[in-house]
Amino acid sequence: MKETSLDIKDLQLNALLEVTQAVNNNLPEDDLLKIYKFTLLADLKINKLALYTQQQDQWMCRVNFGTTNNLIGSTLPEEYKELKNQMGMVETSFDEFDSVFPVFHKSKLLAVVFMESDTKLGVQNRFLNALTNIILVAIENKRLARQQMEQEAYRRELEIAKKVQNFLFPKELPKIERLQIEAFYLPHHDVGGDYYDYIQINENRFLACIADVSGKGVPAALLMSNFQASLRALVRQTKDLYEIVTELNHTTYVSGNAENFITFFAGIYDFKTKELEYINCGHNEIVLKHGGGIDLLNDGTTVLGMFDPLPFIETQRIASLEDFFLFMYTDGLTETFNEKDEAFEFDRLIELLKEDCPEDLSEHHSEILQRLNDFRGNEPFHDDITMLTCRVHNK
């Protein structure tokens, strides 16, 4: 019995209702594409079909049947990416197909449908366009909703990381006659991978440190928060820098899966013995000004988290330190670039540090930052910048 045009319209209407119901039921993308495929097979009697849609910047085949070769995952030929917004089929030179049907949503090319059918589709073009539009707009909306959810999840993750990072830094730094410590921190993103700390060990000893984790953003901040917690726990158990660094390296190696590393400098000063013990773990050159001269504190070991155990480790002691100035920083400072693609570099920093330092250490940091801004001009910062300055008067 031959189907009348009224019967065909009823079938198409029922098909559209079923597809709309599937969309309303929030079925997965693959299920929607299967419904699309079987609706075309049943209602339009299409022998061969290939549906291409754009995913990110790539046009790929999402639905395919009837062809000699499986086209799923194949890319759309360039000449079909500029099809005009028009209703109906156009001829194609694509092997195995006799026509191509561009599907638009407003002015945007949403899909390209290649097909071959034993019957002329004619007035059924409108049905094909509506069906493809409903399916693909639903899939696009799913993608946008998923993207929004991912962005919201990242935003919440970022807020948590920022709160965690705020707990990393000491709430108060000493500003008394015998010890002044000042810190400056400028994250490149909302959260960064730099860390500094001051830990009062007892009435005569304190630890000051600075660190920089490879990588940026939330993962770097979380790895650094774990590092800080480990350091503070270790200082309560031992005052031996060798033991502290050995354990910090192991913790970082495990938590970072040997894929991330941390550069680290720590110094312990004893007011009673007037001795500074330090270790530099692959960090920048730390500047010690005392007795009218400058020492660069480089000795120690390699970066933490790459090798377990560390290939070598050695702490250093500097005796007879009464009045001194200790400047720590991360490489975001010296690796700031200007518009000529020149880095600020250590030579400019050391010349600046040779100058007389203001009594107010915050002014000292402001002066360095001003020099840095003058140097970079309109070029943005590309990394976190952290400075920690200690001034000791112990006479």
Side-chain angles (χ1 to χ4, degrees), residues 1-202:
M1 183 176 178
K2 188 175 181 180
E3 290 180 319
T4 66
S5 61
L6 186 60
D7 292 331
I8 292 173
K9 287 184 177 180
D10 283 342
L11 287 171
Q12 292 175 353
L13 180 60
N14 288 332
L16 290 175
L17 288 173
E18 288 177 8
V19 168
T20 303
Q21 182 70 35
V23 171
N24 291 337
N25 288 337
N26 200 28
L27 292 184
E29 290 182 22
D30 289 344
D31 289 350
L32 291 177
L33 291 173
K34 286 177 183 177
I35 291 172
Y36 176 79
K37 172 181 176 179
F38 291 120
T39 300
L40 295 183
L41 280 168
D43 296 324
L44 289 187
K45 307 298 189 294
I46 293 173
N47 300 325
K48 297 179 181 180
L49 180 134
L51 168 72
Y52 286 82
T53 63
Q54 191 172 18
Q55 293 182 296
Q56 297 177 343
D57 296 328
Q58 188 78 21
W59 280 87
M60 297 181 63
C61 182
R62 303 288 303 283
V63 177
N64 174 227
F65 60 82
T67 55
T68 304
N69 298 315
N70 183 7
L71 299 177
I72 294 294
S74 65
T75 57
L76 179 68
E78 287 294 324
E79 63 265 29
Y80 297 105
K81 296 178 183 179
E82 304 296 332
L83 291 172
K84 303 300 182 183
N85 190 355
Q86 58 188 26
M87 184 62 69
M89 306 289 179
V90 294
E91 291 186 1
T92 176
S93 58
F94 202 153
D95 290 346
E96 300 197 71
F97 302 108
D98 54 26
S99 56
V100 58
F101 189 83
V103 180
F104 285 81
H105 180 63
K106 297 180 180 179
S107 60
K108 179 182 179 182
L109 181 62
L110 201 62
V112 178
V113 185
F114 296 91
M115 62 185 67
E116 181 181 289
S117 176
D118 290 337
T119 60
K120 291 184 178 180
L121 295 175
V123 295
Q124 299 190 60
N125 288 342
R126 193 175 299 276
F127 168 69
L128 178 60
N129 186 73
L131 179 68
T132 308
N133 253 286
I134 290 172
I135 292 289
L136 295 185
V137 168
I139 289 174
E140 178 69 6
N141 288 340
K142 281 177 174 291
R143 185 189 66 80
L144 292 174
R146 185 168 58 248
Q147 187 179 61
Q148 186 175 4
M149 289 176 63
E150 289 172 353
Q151 290 174 346
E152 179 62 22
Y154 179 75
R155 186 189 64 79
R156 290 196 299 269
E157 187 180 67
L158 197 61
E159 287 181 357
I160 293 170
K162 286 173 70 174
K163 290 179 181 178
V164 168
Q165 191 168 54
N166 286 335
F167 287 113
L168 290 182
F169 304 116
K171 294 294 179 275
E172 294 183 359
L173 294 171
K175 290 177 174 56
I176 56 178
E177 184 176 351
R178 73 172 187 171
L179 175 62
Q180 296 177 52
I181 297 183
E182 187 69 36
F184 173 84
Y185 174 59
L186 179 67
H188 179 226
H189 298 291
D190 289 331
V191 292
D194 285 3
Y195 160 62
Y196 66 86
D197 212 344
Y198 160 80
I199 303 172
Q200 186 71 44
I201 297 173
N202 55 42

Side-chain angles (χ1 to χ4, degrees), residues 231-253:
L231 172 62
R232 286 184 164 258
L234 285 165
V235 171
R236 287 195 297 268
Q237 298 169 19
T238 178
K239 310 304 180 283
D240 188 319
L241 270 181
Y242 185 101
E243 292 181 12
I244 290 172
V245 167
T246 300
E247 288 302 317
L248 283 176
N249 177 68
H250 176 72
T251 300
T252 307
Y253 182 85

